[in-house]
Amino acid sequence: MTIAALLVAHGCGVGHTPVIGAADPLKYGRLSHVDQTCLRPATHRAAGATLIDYQASTPLARRGAAASSPSSVRRAAVDGGPVTAHAWPRSSS
């Protein structure tokens, strides 16, 4: 649950605050610890690739893919770029 919450938070670029909850896996201390010790750029790339592969297998995506470019072109943007592995602090102004 903690890793899923962090992947959503990072994917949306919102930091920890929106995913903090009452359950132990969603408390700030746990989120912060797992974020600092477990999540690395490779983790984000692997999770992103898994989600993209799953989404590509859905009927709607397959119908759209038949009318568009090859899958290697669609995946190039995901496979090639760096991933930010931490939330950016918000300014106080």
Side-chain angles (χ1 to χ4, degrees), residues 15-59:
H16 297 144
T17 304
V19 297
I20 292 174
D24 285 338
L26 297 177
K27 290 188 176 174
Y28 180 81
R30 177 72 178 159
L31 291 168
S32 180
H33 171 75
V34 171
D35 192 22
Q36 293 174 15
T37 59
C38 300
L39 294 182
R40 298 176 298 283
T43 308
H44 286 274
R45 280 192 294 276
T50 300
L51 293 171
I52 290 167
D53 289 342
Y54 174 76
Q55 189 276 335
S57 72
T58 63

Side-chain angles (χ1 to χ4, degrees), residues 59-86:
L60 181 60
R62 281 183 281 164
R63 275 192 300 250
S68 65
S69 61
S71 62
S72 61
V73 173
R74 289 194 313 273
R75 287 292 304 271
V78 174
D79 293 336
V83 176
T84 302
H86 64 278

